[in-house]
Amino acid sequence: MLQWTVHLEGGPRRVNHAAVAVGHKVYSFGGYCSGEDYETLRQIDVHVFNAVSLRWMKLPPVRTSGRDQAWEVPYMRYGHTAVVVEDTIYIWGGRNDTEGACNVLYAFDVSHHRWFRPKVSGMVPGARDGHSACVQGKNMYIFGGYEQLADCFSNDIHKLDTSTMAWSLVNARGTPARWRDFHSATIIGSRMYVFGGRADRFGPFHTNNEIYCNKIKVFDTNTCTWLDSAPTQLLPEGRRSHSAFAYNGELYIFGGYNARLDRHFNDLWKFNPESFSWRKVDPRGKWPCARRRQCCCMVGDKIVLFGGTSPCPEQGMGDEFNLMDHSDLYILDFNPNLKTLCKIAVIQFSLDQSSLPHDIRWELAAMTTNSNISRPIFSSHG
């Protein structure tokens, strides 16, 4: 029984950030918040969410003693990607208002909270943002994005072998996915499933003819081939800046934005690779509002969704320039246990909570069925 079980307020207010889950913790890197300074080259910020205690912690800045050491730490950015291989998180791409786009690879050691720049070889991809990154085995695949030097959308696939730290441009066979940015690419088995994104009707260069892809495109990493896709009857609306994740061999997408429709989304769709079909999913509980540029991370059987941006309610839906950045967090539970369901029932039916243990009462305060109850979720101790 799929259920939105937790709704928290007061976390980091971040948009267009990048995050990964390691164990029961979610590590969030960078992003922006309206009104902040993105011209100064300060260190990227790192926020950590503990999915057990339901608390956020902001890591202190890294102390650097010289220019070379400071060079090891990425500057604040947005539109970048983060992936995890074993205990190392790799940050790539993104942009800053001063430096523009970046193509330097940074690594974050989760065990010691230490940044370093791996020495890489091969054909490094051009600087970009709005690309996707996903991992199959020890290989990171970069697809698409908006290339700064060429000033156009990309549909190339680049691979980083993290065992040798060698980059390569993948010589893909078949009909490639359209040039695009702010799409999603998700690995299921040995295949990469690309959905959505912003493209141009006439080619790689951005004009006033934006289109929003809504057909799945599949890349087989074993054969380096773009596969022909079967037609599907039911399709989600095309969108960009949505979230995508895989669970039990199926692909899910949430939210996003379509400028041609002037619409933000908060719908949840499920794609089955075997039947090559979509189905709209309606979990129980309190849903996140329509938004884009949020992050979703899988922690066990739960999805942790946080941040993003939406139109300000007083401005009406769909206004590109009057957006509200979010500091909230939601948890979508694919397999809620009896304890969780009991907590939901206590709140739904306004049962007496005074006799419950203190920690259970705090957890009840985070359940989605009563959005007026929130919990202090920042901790200086983690």
Side-chain angles (χ1 to χ4, degrees), residues 20-235:
V20 296
V22 181
H24 65 279
K25 293 182 177 179
V26 173
Y27 291 78
S28 176
F29 300 89
Y32 68 82
C33 177
S34 299
E36 289 187 358
D37 172 23
Y38 290 91
E39 294 183 355
T40 304
L41 293 184
R42 67 186 190 279
Q43 290 185 15
I44 196 168
D45 58 22
V46 183
H47 292 89
V48 184
F49 177 72
N50 187 317
V52 176
S53 66
L54 303 182
R55 288 183 177 271
W56 282 103
M57 174 183 68
K58 184 177 181 180
L59 298 186
V62 176
R63 293 182 179 179
T64 55
S65 57
R67 182 179 177 86
D68 290 342
Q69 194 175 2
W71 196 242
E72 301 284 310
V73 184
Y75 52 76
M76 196 66 174
R77 64 191 60 204
Y78 50 89
H80 52 296
T81 52
V83 301
V84 60
V85 180
E86 296 176 343
D87 285 334
T88 302
I89 298 172
Y90 294 99
I91 304 291
W92 192 83
R95 65 170 49 251
N96 178 282
D97 291 349
T98 296
E99 293 294 305
C102 178
N103 71 340
V104 176
L105 181 72
Y106 294 91
F108 182 77
D109 183 336
V110 174
S111 301
H112 302 94
H113 289 176
R114 182 178 67 89
W115 285 104
F116 61 98
R117 280 177 57 172
K119 185 177 180 179
V120 299
S121 62
M123 186 178 294
V124 179
R128 69 193 67 197
D129 69 324
H131 56 288
S132 59
C134 51
V135 169
Q136 203 277 326
K138 291 195 173 183
N139 294 321
M140 176 174 74
Y141 290 89
I142 297 290
F143 171 73
Y146 201 86
E147 292 192 64
Q148 178 168 287
L149 188 61
D151 196 20
C152 68
F153 299 110
S154 171
N155 69 344
D156 290 335
I157 300 175
H158 296 263
K159 181 177 76 172
L160 174 70
D161 183 340
T162 62
S163 61
T164 62
M165 301 313 297
W167 283 103
S168 59
L169 174 64
V170 176
N171 184 19
R173 297 188 292 270
T175 305
R178 184 184 291 269
W179 305 272
R180 66 186 78 190
D181 67 357
F182 293 107
H183 54 285
S184 61
T186 310
I187 291 286
I188 302 177
S190 62
R191 293 180 174 180
M192 179 175 75
Y193 293 82
V194 175
F195 175 80
R198 175 184 62 170
D200 192 273
R201 189 176 304 278
F202 300 114
F205 295 97
H206 190 201
T207 69
N208 291 323
N209 291 279
E210 284 186 0
I211 59 173
Y212 291 83
C213 308
N214 69 341
K215 293 183 174 65
I216 287 279
K217 193 69 177 174
V218 185
F219 176 75
D220 190 313
T221 62
N222 285 338
T223 61
C224 293
T225 303
W226 287 103
L227 305 179
D228 293 329
S229 302
T232 55
Q233 293 182 341
L234 181 65
L235 290 169

Side-chain angles (χ1 to χ4, degrees), residues 223-279:
T223 61
C224 293
T225 303
W226 287 103
L227 305 179
D228 293 329
S229 302
T232 55
Q233 293 182 341
L234 181 65
L235 290 169
E237 294 282 3
R239 62 195 69 195
R240 65 174 169 93
S241 305
H242 55 286
S243 296
F245 53 90
Y247 181 78
N248 277 356
E250 294 181 301
L251 170 69
Y252 291 79
I253 65 162
F254 172 84
Y257 174 69
N258 184 311
R260 293 186 68 86
L261 298 176
D262 204 13
R263 183 180 170 193
H264 287 75
F265 300 94
N266 71 336
D267 48 356
L268 181 68
W269 289 78
K270 178 172 72 171
F271 175 77
N272 186 304
E274 297 298 324
S275 61
F276 218 86
S277 61
W278 285 99
R279 182 169 71 86

